[in-house]
Amino acid sequence: MQSPTSSRGNQRLAKGVTACQRCRRRKQKCDLKYPNCSNCESAHVLCLTYHSGKQAEIPRNYVSNLEAQVEKLSLENQELRTRLQTNSYNLEATSSIDPLSPTRTGQSPTGSEESTTHFQDLIKSVKNVVVEPSRQPRFLGQSSGITLARLVMAAIRIDSLPIASLTSKKRPQEPSSSYPTSQASLPPRQAAEHLLDVYFQYRTPHLPILERSEAVEAFDSAYCHATGRTAPEGRVVEIDIFTTYLILAIALFDVPNPSGGRPTQSEGCFRSALVWIEKVFAYSRNDIETLRPILLLAQFVALFPSQGSLWHLTGTALRVCIDMGLHWETEDQNLNMERNMLHIRRRLWWSAYQFDRVLCITLGRPFGIIDESIAVPLPDPRMISRESHDSQTNEYDIHHQEAHNHLFHMSKLESEIKHVQHNQAWSPKIAYPRTDYAAWINDILPRLREWYHSIPPLEQSHPSSIFAQQAYWDAIYNNAILQLYRPSATVIHTSAEEFIASFDAACNLIASIKILQREGKVDVLWKSTHQLFMAGLGVIYGLWLSKEIRDQNPVSKSISTLNSCASTLAALSESFPGATGCRDAFDTLSSATVDWLVTQNAEEKQQNRVDFEKQMEDIFRELQPAKDGIPVASEFNFNDMPNMLSTDAFSEMLSSAAQWPDFQTMDFSATANDGSEFWYQTAL
């Protein structure tokens, strides 16, 4: 018989073994409360225990969750079987009636009319299959949503993700312990609420993918799952967890780290979201739930291009939109579809459209869909899906949608500019006649000015929003003017007025981006790098080729503009490694230009010009795409400089920002399993 002392020792040992991992690490007393102990519940973290068989940490309510999931899947399976039997019965009943049979076409004219009506209804229904949303879940291939998951994951540059799980045809289970350990836990709810505000105040200037009410519902569902509580009815927990982690990753991208450098929690949240990506596409109940995660992934990759292929993600999202018919609204849809669903469809379509336009205009590539194939009104700013309890927040959300619509309108204008400029290089046909360029310039200039004068009032925007920055709108407007007047291989302007307009727009664009960089309001680094570098080339081009520009602008002012461009490029290169090539090239060209401007001796001036042409030749050779692996070795002259100012030529230098960049390997190992203290400091 054991002694009382030995019995009490065994009890203490048993409690030590069954205590949660967090209490063991902190050497705290665990009250073994189910499903979360009091310590974990007060810290709003998941209560984990160690499973010796799995050799992994599992939630305390792991078994009960599995049982609930089995019951849920059994009910879904039964429901699908019932629907399948019902559809099969309806199909047999429909096919048993032959519209051409004698009983239908008989001798009575009424039967003939019914047959004709039947065929007209059939033709109409077949036509609307393309443009009307499906009422049933869509299955892509034999493995359902796994096919789309593999397509999206092919665009995500995460080398350590397990490949076997993506090739499996089984329904995904709970996240496996084989996923990367450098993941982030959910922060305390107070910190999460603050990061949610950061996301909507600053990180959504170009993407109304989510409304605040939708994000709050996703957060509520994710935190219910994390604390072992039952998620709200009708929610897909896997999608909500994925959405929550991605919102946190986007909001944390540029939040300063108290210890210096970019916080590793942003990458950790991104990896935590990817853990659920298979289940997101497998459990999506409709195409909207499939499209939104792709756009959120694209939003993160746009900010962090080393993590994936923005080009492929955007292409996938755009094709899903077209497959759903989001690009074309019919009169029946406007009359019969629920207003809230119509608003969501419009927001997601214009978000995908904006991604496509920003990429294609920046990289000089063809559009995924032309504007003539689009018939979708802009989202109604007053159509908020759910009324906010905070009237001030509601007004900010309305203003943000107005600002989004204003950006969409500018993207349509920029699309027109690119189309007309490329139209000048095509062989004219009867169906595609060449545009009268001079008449078109006189038509689009007033529309651009009207856009600038109708910018949504800055004072109505949230003070922390990028929409409250006048420099942000000035940069967009001047970039459009620069695109309009910038010389290219197809349209070379010779008018002195157009030359001066291009030069002034380039100078104003440099000044605006410098203000945004100084105040930490640059939204997409690679896009701003492209615009800044092209503006700098425009200034150099104008100074060398136009005496009117040199006469109107003092040498000190021109040098100051060049220095501003160079210093801003240097600052951007500290955060975006892809800007280093632009920085080095511009430093070389601006130094030669400054030497040429300040030189008074005619002989030295001519020698500086020769040196400048030699440097331009070297850079021009680097900008030219190689043919069969052999770089193009063409001599440079000033007649070739419009080719450098063409987006098509420069796009090769920025392809790494949209596709597969070879950035330096980043360390993701610093993320702690329990980052409550860091989360709180970061958020507050």
Side-chain angles (χ1 to χ4, degrees):
M1 182 175 179
Q2 290 180 331
S3 64
T5 305
S6 176
S7 176
R8 287 194 298 270
N10 291 337
Q11 290 178 2
R12 287 196 298 270
L13 179 61
K15 283 193 175 184
V17 172
T18 57
C20 73
Q21 294 294 95
R22 185 173 184 272
C23 290
R24 293 183 63 190
R25 286 194 297 266
R26 292 172 172 262
K27 297 182 180 180
Q28 293 177 336
K29 182 178 180 180
C30 184
D31 59 6
L32 305 180
K33 184 180 176 181
Y34 183 86
N36 293 315
C37 70
S38 300
N39 295 329
C40 292
E41 187 173 359
S42 61
H44 299 288
V45 297
L46 192 61
C47 191
L48 301 174
T49 60
Y50 185 78
H51 192 285
S52 58
K54 289 181 172 292
Q55 294 185 351
E57 295 180 354
I58 62 173
R60 190 183 295 277
N61 58 348
Y62 178 71
V63 175
S64 59
N65 284 343
L66 287 181
E67 292 175 349
Q69 186 176 5
V70 169
E71 182 180 358
K72 176 184 175 183
L73 293 177
S74 299
L75 292 176
E76 291 181 358
N77 189 23
Q78 183 63 33
E79 182 182 355
L80 290 175
R81 288 178 181 274
T82 304
R83 291 181 182 178
L84 181 61
Q85 293 174 358
T86 303
N87 293 339
S88 300
Y89 172 78
N90 293 336
L91 182 60
E92 292 175 359
T94 304
S95 60
S96 63
I97 303 176
D98 186 0
L100 296 179
S101 64
T103 59
R104 297 285 299 173
T105 58
Q107 288 81 14
S108 65
T110 304
S112 177
E113 292 177 1
E114 291 179 355
S115 176
T116 302
T117 303
H118 175 78
F119 274 117
Q120 290 177 349
D121 293 341
L122 179 62
I123 293 173
K124 182 178 179 180
S125 64
V126 171
K127 177 191 70 173
N128 290 336
V129 165
V130 179
V131 297
E132 292 185 354
S134 173
R135 297 291 182 182
Q136 302 294 333
R138 176 168 297 150
F139 295 94
L140 304 174
Q142 298 178 356
S143 56
S144 181
I146 304 300
T147 301
L148 186 59
R150 294 181 65 184
L151 178 62
V152 174
M153 288 302 295
I156 301 298
R157 193 172 185 264
I158 301 294
D159 300 331
S160 56
L161 282 178
I163 303 301
S165 60
L166 292 177
T167 59
S168 172
K169 295 184 179 181
K170 297 180 180 180
R171 300 281 284 189
Q173 302 298 322
E174 289 296 322
S176 171
S177 60
S178 61
Y179 279 87
T181 58
S182 54
Q183 302 167 16
S185 59
L186 288 175
R189 189 60 191 268
Q190 181 182 1
E193 294 292 341
H194 178 79
L195 292 173
L196 185 63
D197 291 337
V198 172
Y199 176 84
F200 280 100
Q201 292 168 9
Y202 178 53
R203 280 301 174 203
T204 57
H206 54 295
L207 293 168
I209 300 173
L210 288 166
E211 286 186 355
R212 186 180 293 269
S213 59
E214 297 170 339
V216 170
E217 290 176 352
F219 271 50
D220 292 340
S221 177
Y223 275 87
C224 285
H225 179 273
T227 56
R229 292 175 291 158
T230 304
E233 185 178 357
R235 303 295 303 182
V236 181
V237 178
E238 295 79 9
I239 298 179
D240 291 334
I241 296 174
F242 177 87
T243 302
T244 299
Y245 272 119
L246 266 185
I247 290 176
L248 295 176
I250 295 169
L252 278 167
F253 178 73
D254 270 343
V255 174
N257 189 345
S259 60
R262 179 181 297 142
T264 57
Q265 288 287 358
S266 179
E267 294 91 340
C269 287
F270 178 60
R271 286 172 171 256
S272 297
L274 292 181
V275 170
W276 300 89
I277 193 168
E278 299 173 30
K279 303 180 77 173
V280 166
F281 294 115
Y283 293 168
S284 295
R285 296 167 297 186
N286 51 55
D287 297 317
I288 295 295
E289 291 185 354
T290 301
L291 175 61
R292 187 181 282 117
I294 301 176
L295 290 174
L296 285 173
L297 282 171
Q299 186 179 12
F300 178 82
V301 173
L303 299 172
F304 203 163
S306 65
Q307 291 298 321
S309 170
L310 184 58
W311 178 259
H312 291 117
L313 285 172
T314 300
T316 301
L318 191 65
R319 281 148 187 81
V320 171
C321 288
I322 295 174
D323 188 50
M324 295 169 58
L326 299 188
H327 67 295
W328 194 274
E329 285 189 9
T330 63
E331 186 176 352
D332 292 340
Q333 284 178 313
N334 293 329
L335 294 176
N336 302 326
M337 185 175 292
E338 183 184 355
R339 295 291 94 187
N340 183 41
M341 177 55 65
L342 196 62
H343 179 64
I344 293 174
R345 289 166 61 91
R346 290 174 179 175
R347 284 192 294 106
L348 294 181
W349 162 253
W350 286 109
S351 296
Y353 173 90
Q354 182 76 354
F355 263 137
D356 179 73
R357 282 340 191 226
V358 169
L359 268 177
C360 293
I361 292 174
T362 302
L363 301 179
R365 298 184 177 181
F367 295 141
I369 182 173
I370 59 175
D371 287 353
E372 287 74 14
S373 298
I374 302 172
V376 183
L378 293 174
D380 184 1
R382 299 288 169 179
M383 181 58 195
I384 304 298
S385 59
R386 295 170 179 81
E387 293 294 335
S388 172
H389 297 292
D390 186 351
S391 59
Q392 187 179 24
T393 301
N394 187 268
E395 289 299 322
Y396 287 151
D397 292 339
I398 293 174
H399 180 272
H400 279 193
Q401 187 60 69
E402 293 175 348
H404 293 148
N405 290 350
H406 211 56
L407 293 178
F408 298 150
H409 185 48
M410 173 55 75
S411 295
K412 294 169 68 176
L413 292 174
E414 291 179 333
S415 301
E416 181 179 340
I417 293 174
K418 181 179 178 182
H419 169 76
V420 172
Q421 289 180 343
H422 280 261
N423 174 262
Q424 306 304 306
W426 301 339
S427 299
K429 299 179 181 178
I430 296 178
Y432 304 101
R434 181 166 295 175
T435 305
D436 185 344
Y437 195 81
W440 172 76
I441 286 287
N442 294 330
D443 174 71
I444 196 172
L445 267 180
R447 287 185 283 149
L448 287 172
R449 296 191 185 106
E450 180 184 0
W451 180 92
Y452 183 73
H453 293 301
S454 60
I455 294 173
L458 305 184
E459 61 275 8
Q460 295 181 9
S461 179
H462 192 281
S464 300
S465 173
I466 197 172
F467 293 145
Q469 299 290 324
Q470 182 63 45
Y472 176 75
W473 299 104
D474 291 343
I476 295 174
Y477 174 72
N478 286 297
N479 183 65
I481 297 295
L482 188 60
Q483 289 181 23
L484 181 65
Y485 287 124
R486 184 172 59 209
S488 66
T490 56
V491 181
I492 301 179
H493 307 286
T494 56
S495 169
E497 291 77 10
E498 294 177 346
F499 227 144
I500 294 174
S502 175
F503 180 84
D504 292 340
C507 294
N508 294 333
L509 180 57
I510 292 173
S512 298
I513 296 180
K514 182 177 181 178
I515 293 175
L516 293 175
Q517 188 278 327
R518 186 174 60 237
E519 298 184 1
K521 294 293 185 179
V522 176
D523 54 349
V524 181
L525 291 174
W526 54 267
K527 183 187 70 173
S528 299
T529 298
H530 170 265
Q531 295 175 354
L532 183 62
F533 184 68
M534 297 303 293
L537 286 182
V539 171
I540 292 175
Y541 179 68
L543 290 174
W544 279 90
L545 268 73
S546 175
K547 188 176 184 301
E548 291 85 354
I549 290 177
R550 294 195 299 271
D551 293 340
Q552 293 181 9
N553 294 272
V555 174
S556 58
K557 180 181 177 181
S558 299
I559 294 176
S560 176
T561 301
L562 293 175
N563 290 338
S564 296
C565 184
S567 61
T568 308
L569 279 173
L572 291 177
S573 64
E574 295 179 0
S575 303
F576 176 52
T580 55
C582 301
R583 177 202 62 195
D584 296 340
F586 187 79
D587 284 344
T588 302
L589 298 179
S590 62
S591 298
T593 303
V594 170
D595 292 341
W596 181 73
L597 288 175
V598 299
T599 300
Q600 301 296 328
N601 185 278
E603 183 176 348
E604 292 182 5
K605 208 174 187 68
Q606 180 62 28
Q607 183 60 39
N608 288 339
R609 186 182 184 95
V610 172
D611 295 340
F612 178 81
E613 292 183 359
K614 181 62 172 62
Q615 293 166 346
M616 288 292 297
E617 179 182 343
D618 296 337
I619 296 176
F620 182 62
R621 185 182 296 108
E622 294 178 1
L623 288 174
Q624 290 294 320
K627 297 181 179 179
D628 299 329
I630 303 175
V632 177
S634 58
E635 293 186 359
F636 171 82
N637 58 65
F638 274 94
N639 293 328
D640 291 331
M641 195 166 181
N643 292 329
M644 292 193 63
L645 298 177
S646 171
T647 305
D648 295 336
F650 180 65
S651 65
E652 295 302 324
M653 293 185 65
L654 285 173
S655 293
S656 61
Q659 297 188 74
W660 297 98
D662 292 327
F663 288 166
Q664 55 187 355
T665 303
M666 298 185 180
D667 182 15
F668 298 97
S669 60
T671 305
N673 293 328
D674 181 18
S676 302
E677 292 80 3
F678 172 78
W679 278 113
Y680 191 77
Q681 292 176 6
T682 302
L684 301 181

